[in-house]
């Protein structure tokens, strides 16, 4: 069973989100975050430390020569292929299923792990997750009961919202092909009836996660949701984690320049105190 890590990237200076007026409190430096992300994977990945890592730039916002050299040092395959259709993407988040679909076609590895560039691996991923995927399921992150309060409400009859920053799938499953095509259909119709009922005040770019929630709750994809797999900026404090879930924390989520509401020092102190319980 061959495994690869796949990511999507654009430049420090500008991105598809910038082109569409999607901005955050602090500018994202995707190249620098990617280098940190890949360094942590190589350092903390255990048996997966040396797996192939691919990072795909499908837009005109390519990375610098300096970053390309750093990728070579880390044995990361940088793919720079301009696709004209990215000019029509309403957000950069569409790059996730789009590049995933291309990599499903082009790669040879059996299992594809996708993480966002702001996710830094702090311990090896449990092998059981790969066994689950190899047997036909798709592992997708899911917000816990605390984190979900800062996410979109999608109805009491649906499970907690999903977090597509972490996905493990079989390459031959066609998951990303489904993901991309269904997402583009939702963009064309401005969502479906449920989205329009519950998410009228939600930014449209969240359709990228909603499309997988829809597939999961409607039974169109065999998804295995996983909670409590990361801590840090934008997520519930580790102090809210059940004790029996502490050993499942694989990632520290953090932007290079975090949101002002996030207390980096306090959360790290809380993490190390809680980990003494494991």
């Amino acid at each position: 069973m061959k495994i690869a890590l796949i990511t999507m990237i654009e430049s420090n200076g500008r991105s598809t989100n910038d082109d569409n007026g999607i901005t955050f409190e602090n500018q994202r430096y995707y190249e620098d975050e990617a280098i940190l992300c890949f360094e942590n994977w190589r350092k903390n990945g255990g048996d997966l430390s040396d797996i192939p890592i691919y990072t795909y730039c499908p837009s005109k916002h390519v990375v610098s020569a300096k970053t390309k050299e750093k990728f070579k040092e880390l044995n990361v395959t940088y793919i720079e292929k301009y696709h004209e259709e990215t000019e029509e993407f309403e957000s950069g988040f569409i790059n996730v299923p789009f590049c995933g679909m291309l990599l499903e076609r082009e790669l040879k590895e059996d299992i594809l792990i996708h993480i966002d560039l702001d996710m830094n691996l702090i311990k090896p991923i449990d092998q059981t997750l790969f066994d689950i995927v190899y047997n036909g399921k798709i592992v997708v992150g899911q917000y816990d009961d605390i984190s979900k309060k800062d996410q979109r409400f999608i109805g009491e009859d649906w499970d907690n919202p999903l977090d597509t920053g972490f996905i493990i799938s079989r390459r031959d499953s066609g998951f990303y092909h489904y993901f991309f095509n269904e997402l583009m259909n939702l963009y064309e119709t401005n969502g479906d009836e449920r989205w329009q009922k519950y998410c009228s005040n939600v930014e449209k770019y969240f359709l990228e996660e909603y499309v997988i929630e829809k597939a999961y709750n409607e039974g169109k994809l065999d998804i295995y949701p996983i909670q409590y797999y990361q801590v840090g900026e934008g997520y519930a404090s580790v102090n809210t984690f059940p004790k029996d879930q502490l050993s499942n924390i694989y990632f520290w989520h953090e932007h290079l320049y975090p949101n002002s509401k996030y207390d980096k020092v306090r959360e790290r102190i809380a993490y190390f105190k809680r980990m003494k319980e494991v």
Side-chain angles (χ1 to χ4, degrees), residues 39 42 66-76:
E39 285 177 340
R42 293 299 189 210
K66 182 179 179 180
T67 296
K68 292 177 185 178
E69 285 302 312
K70 188 61 180 179
F71 286 166
K72 288 181 182 177
E73 291 176 19
L74 292 167
N75 195 24
V76 172

Side-chain angles (χ1 to χ4, degrees), residues 95-131:
N95 287 342
V96 173
F98 180 67
C99 294
M101 176 178 66
L102 298 175
L103 291 170
E104 276 182 336
R105 298 171 184 167
E106 297 171 9
L107 299 183
K108 301 299 182 184
E109 288 80 12
D110 305 293
I111 303 292
L112 304 180
I113 308 168
H114 161 65
I115 61 173
D116 287 342
L117 298 175
D118 50 19
M119 293 170 62
N120 295 297
L121 190 69
I122 56 179
K123 62 173 288 186
I125 296 173
D126 195 315
Q127 176 63 44
T128 59
L129 292 181
F130 300 103
D131 296 336

